């Protein structure tokens, strides 16, 4: 009998980023995370995803923390494990396209502060919007991973994904991630698609999915058998629902097979014990909505990611139009088709969702059009896989000529201007980037940081000389 070739499946742990972003709106603090870093570092993960995505904005806006400081603390704590972040291509971690000089500087600073792997994606899968970030990561000797946003539709055939993967490899990416943000990839489809991608390219392939539709663990099983190199999982207290499949479950699934991770379940149990009270507290405070933990098969019908569903419900509530929920869900695929059938992921999911809400509430389609919808139809977000609906485009942007070049080609370098604008707040180089992404939120944070410094601790006051240490 031939010897079975061992091929342990590699795992990226998402508990410090995507898991709590998906379940509790990115509200875990650095203080809650640091005590468990030493144990996480011993597991043997391929990488720990701990930065990027919405963590940057949430740290500043809600937690009054410096995201760069968080990253440096992680880097100090993780001695053996690669740190990974999620990066929105030309949008970095913000919501508009930035000039190349800002993108390059952000990549440089992320790597010098401790990131090893940068996962770069674009909501349109327009590879032109990823090039600057990939080149910058390569220049700094970081690992550039390109994530293709997985979605369904006439245009998204196996040939499409294979062509994209080959282009990504040619672009100089070190690995590819199939990013299934809505949990749309079904188990047997994973067998076929991963099998074909493995034949098409030489660089490693990673699979990222969410449990929203209930099939994710089965999809991982089939993908691993088909040869995928890495999967993304979350420790069980913050797994399932709109998050990822549970780390411990996947480790146990492959135990004793050629894909055995060799991870220590006792160690994983200790890590889970640490996070459980944090989850329970989030449940009792209402931060974790039990609805987010369920399975929503509607995801497969409407292709609406979990985060987008909760967005739609709150928008309808504000308009006192909750009875229109199913009308809006049915309108989403129609708007998506009008806009060239983009994948629904930040920010395209919000753009399509909001426009669908307006179309239904106004009783007439595109009677009211958001500036973001106009920007998509003007080509400002990049090229879509299918052409726009010409009539709708005319109705929304009139005779304006849409752009066809890479949107960032129209942006002048902006780093120097930004630096001049915020110089009074600058305490570290990274502050310039924080301000570039979120000028208002950053300014509020810098003011808060300043105020913290001038607070006096009465215990250290020098009453004799009447001087207060500042």
């Amino acid at each position: 009998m031939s010897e079975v070739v061992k091929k342990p499946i590699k795992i990226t742990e998402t508990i410090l980023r995507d898991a709590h972003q998906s379940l509790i709106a990115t509200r875990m603090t650095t203080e809650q995370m640091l005590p468990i870093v030493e144990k996480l570092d011993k597991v043997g993960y391929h990488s720990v995803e701990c930065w990027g995505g919405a963590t940057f904005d949430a740290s500043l806006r809600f937690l009054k923390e410096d995201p760069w400081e968080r990253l440096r603390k992680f880097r100090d704590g993780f001695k053996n494990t690669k740190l990974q972040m999620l990066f929105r291509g030309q949008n970095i971690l913000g919501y508009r396209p930035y000039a190349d000089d800002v993108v390059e500087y952000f990549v440089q600073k992320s790597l010098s502060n401790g990131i090893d792997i940068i996962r770069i994606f674009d909501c349109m899968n327009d590879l032109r919007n990823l090039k600057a970030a990939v080149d910058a990561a390569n220049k700094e000797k970081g690992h550039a991973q390109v994530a293709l946003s997985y979605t369904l539709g006439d245009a998204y055939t196996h040939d499409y994904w294979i062509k994209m993967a080959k282009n990504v490899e040619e672009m100089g990416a070190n690995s590819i991630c199939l990013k299934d943000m809505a949990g749309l990839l079904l188990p047997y489809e994973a067998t076929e698609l991963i099998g074909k991608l493995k034949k098409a390219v030489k660089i490693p392939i990673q699979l990222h999915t969410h449990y929203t539709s209930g099939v994710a663990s089965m999809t991982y099983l089939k993908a691993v058998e088909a040869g995928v190199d890495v999967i993304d999982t979350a420790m069980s207290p913050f797994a399932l629902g709109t998050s990822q499949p549970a780390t411990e479950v996947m480790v146990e699934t492959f135990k004793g097979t050629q894909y055995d991770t060799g991870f220590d379940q006792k160690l994983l149990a200790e890590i889970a014990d640490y996070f459980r009270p944090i989850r329970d507290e989030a449940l009792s405070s209402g931060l974790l909505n039990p609805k987010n933990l369920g399975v929503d098969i509607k995801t497969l019908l409407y292709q609406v990611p979990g985060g987008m569903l909760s967005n739609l419900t709150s928008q309808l509530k504000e308009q006192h139009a909750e009875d229109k929920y199913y009308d809006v869900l049915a309108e989403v695929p129609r708007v998506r088709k009008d806009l060239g059938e983009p994948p629904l992921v930040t920010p395209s999911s919000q753009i399509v969702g909001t426009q669908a809400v307006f179309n239904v509430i106004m009783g007439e389609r595109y009677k009211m059009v958001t500036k973001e919808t106009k920007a998509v139809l003007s080509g400002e977000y990049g090229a879509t896989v299918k052409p726009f609906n010409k009539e709708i485009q005319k109705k929304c942007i009139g005779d304006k000529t849409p752009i066809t070049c890479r949107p960032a080609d129209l942006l002048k370098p902006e780093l120097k201007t930004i630096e001049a604008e915020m110089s009074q707040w600058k305490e570290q180089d990274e502050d310039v980037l924080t301000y570039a992404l979120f000028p208002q939120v950053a300014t509020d944070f810098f003011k808060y940081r300043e105020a913290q410094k001038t607070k006096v601790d009465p215990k250290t006051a020098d009453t004799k000389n009447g001087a207060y240490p500042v």
Side-chain angles (χ1 to χ4, degrees), residues 5-64:
V5 180
K6 286 223 182 306
K7 196 198 171 208
I9 182 64
K10 293 176 179 162
I11 290 182
T12 290
E13 175 59 63
T14 67
I15 184 97
L16 301 183
R17 204 284 300 176
D18 201 357
H20 74 106
Q21 179 173 318
S22 298
L23 291 179
I24 59 167
T26 333
R27 295 295 201 281
M28 219 186 274
T29 64
T30 305
E31 213 166 83
Q32 286 175 309
M33 300 179 201
L34 289 178
I36 198 66
V37 162
E38 199 182 326
K39 281 185 180 168
L40 283 167
D41 194 33
K42 286 184 182 140
V43 175
Y45 292 118
H46 166 69
S47 65
V48 168
E49 192 202 39
C50 61
W51 211 62
T55 61
F56 200 93
D57 185 359
S59 293
L60 295 162
R61 196 185 296 263
F62 304 114
L63 308 174
K64 293 286 177 268

Side-chain angles (χ1 to χ4, degrees), residues 212-469:
T212 324
S213 64
V215 300
S217 296
M218 295 181 279
T219 299
Y220 274 170
L221 177 62
K222 286 298 184 191
V224 169
E225 288 173 350
V228 86
D229 298 279
V230 196
I231 54 174
D232 288 13
T233 64
M235 287 303 301
S236 57
F238 282 91
L240 310 184
T242 47
S243 175
Q244 277 75 48
T247 305
E248 305 95 308
V249 175
M250 295 319 298
V251 166
E252 200 59 20
T253 300
F254 297 117
K255 200 172 167 183
T257 70
Q258 66 188 104
Y259 310 112
D260 196 332
T261 59
F263 290 2
D264 176 358
Q265 283 286 17
K266 277 203 197 69
L267 178 60
L268 293 176
E270 287 169 22
I271 296 169
D273 287 344
Y274 177 82
F275 283 107
R276 208 164 288 113
I278 299 176
R279 189 218 24 210
D280 295 344
E281 191 190 322
L283 263 171
S284 59
S285 71
L287 190 54
L288 174 51
N289 182 339
K291 267 192 194 146
N292 291 353
L293 293 169
V295 162
D296 196 335
I297 200 69
K298 280 193 223 72
T299 317
L300 296 175
L301 301 176
Y302 304 111
Q303 296 209 39
V304 176
M308 185 178 167
L309 277 177
S310 45
N311 247 356
L312 292 181
T313 32
S314 65
Q315 282 179 345
L316 288 170
K317 204 172 185 169
E318 273 168 34
Q319 305 291 329
H320 305 293
E322 286 153 282
D323 57 323
K324 299 275 197 285
Y325 180 67
Y326 288 101
D327 299 339
V328 170
L329 275 186
E331 176 66 2
V332 165
R334 294 195 282 265
V335 173
R336 180 177 174 236
K337 222 175 176 65
D338 293 338
L339 302 191
E341 228 172 275
L344 296 178
V345 63
T346 307
S348 56
S349 49
Q350 287 85 337
I351 297 169
V352 169
T354 304
Q355 191 56 55
V357 169
F358 281 137
N359 286 2
V360 168
I361 287 175
M362 290 296 186
E364 181 194 321
R365 304 186 76 226
Y366 303 100
K367 183 180 182 179
M368 190 170 159
V369 184
T370 67
K371 69 177 198 305
E372 289 79 11
T373 298
K374 288 178 181 168
V376 169
L377 292 167
S378 309
E380 289 166 35
Y381 280 88
T384 47
V385 60
K386 286 212 144 164
F388 299 128
N389 178 330
K390 282 278 179 270
E391 280 167 46
I392 300 295
Q393 191 179 25
K394 180 99 175 115
K395 184 173 180 177
C396 296
I397 66 167
D399 295 323
K400 185 179 173 185
T401 311
I403 64 166
T404 53
C405 66
R406 179 183 78 115
D409 287 344
L410 302 173
L411 301 176
K412 290 188 175 73
E414 49 183 338
L415 205 51
K416 284 210 165 48
T417 320
I418 291 166
E419 183 152 13
E421 210 175 281
M422 59 75 64
S423 56
Q424 69 177 105
W425 302 111
K426 185 178 166 184
E427 289 184 9
Q428 53 174 354
D429 291 347
E430 290 78 3
D431 289 342
V432 178
L433 291 164
T434 303
Y435 181 87
L437 295 193
F438 307 107
Q440 193 47 58
V441 177
T443 305
D444 294 345
F445 171 73
F446 296 148
K447 284 177 183 166
Y448 168 82
R449 184 172 68 181
E450 200 59 39
Q452 290 310 98
K453 281 200 197 113
T454 50
K455 276 192 182 156
V456 173
D457 177 358
K459 286 200 287 291
T460 59
D462 177 357
T463 42
K464 200 165 62 209
N465 298 319
Y468 283 83

Side-chain angles (χ1 to χ4, degrees), residues 94-110:
Y95 305 103
R96 71 167 176 91
Y98 294 88
D100 287 343
D101 62 341
V102 181
V103 173
E104 285 156 13
Y105 194 44
F106 202 99
V107 169
Q108 185 193 331
K109 283 294 177 192
S110 303

Side-chain angles (χ1 to χ4, degrees), residues 24-202:
I24 59 167
T26 333
R27 295 295 201 281
M28 219 186 274
T29 64
T30 305
E31 213 166 83
Q32 286 175 309
M33 300 179 201
L34 289 178
I36 198 66
V37 162
E38 199 182 326
K39 281 185 180 168
L40 283 167
D41 194 33
K42 286 184 182 140
V43 175
Y45 292 118
H46 166 69
S47 65
V48 168
E49 192 202 39
C50 61
W51 211 62
T55 61
F56 200 93
D57 185 359
S59 293
L60 295 162
R61 196 185 296 263
F62 304 114
L63 308 174
K64 293 286 177 268
E65 291 186 5
D66 181 359
W68 297 100
E69 197 49 42
R70 173 184 290 189
L71 175 54
R72 290 191 283 264
K73 285 176 175 168
F74 281 154
R75 188 64 285 167
D76 288 343
F78 282 104
K79 311 275 190 249
N80 315 299
T81 313
K82 287 194 161 85
L83 300 185
Q84 184 167 325
M85 74 173 289
L86 182 68
F87 192 99
R88 298 186 194 121
Q90 214 66 34
N91 299 346
I92 311 180
L93 304 175
Y95 305 103
R96 71 167 176 91
Y98 294 88
D100 287 343
D101 62 341
V102 181
V103 173
E104 285 156 13
Y105 194 44
F106 202 99
V107 169
Q108 185 193 331
K109 283 294 177 192
S110 303
L111 293 166
S112 67
N113 278 280
I115 288 295
D116 299 291
I117 301 169
I118 299 194
R119 177 179 290 174
I120 307 157
F121 79 99
D122 173 64
C123 72
M124 299 288 177
N125 281 339
D126 183 342
L127 299 183
R128 299 174 306 173
N129 292 338
L130 306 174
K131 185 116 178 64
V134 171
D135 289 349
N138 284 335
K139 189 181 160 198
E140 300 293 327
K141 306 278 186 281
H143 179 115
Q145 178 179 82
V146 166
L148 299 173
S149 300
Y150 181 77
T151 187
L152 306 172
D154 312 339
Y156 299 99
T157 58
H158 284 183
D159 288 344
Y160 167 84
W161 296 114
I162 287 165
K163 186 176 159 222
M164 289 291 276
K166 285 180 168 166
N167 289 343
V168 165
E169 187 173 43
E170 269 164 38
M171 189 197 274
N174 303 102
S175 62
I176 294 172
C177 172
L178 202 56
K179 178 180 163 64
D180 178 17
M181 55 281 165
L184 302 173
L185 182 62
L186 298 172
Y188 287 103
E189 174 57 17
T191 300
E192 262 188 76
L193 184 55
I194 297 293
K196 287 180 178 174
L197 290 174
K198 285 298 295 174
K199 283 197 181 87
V201 295
K202 292 191 172 60

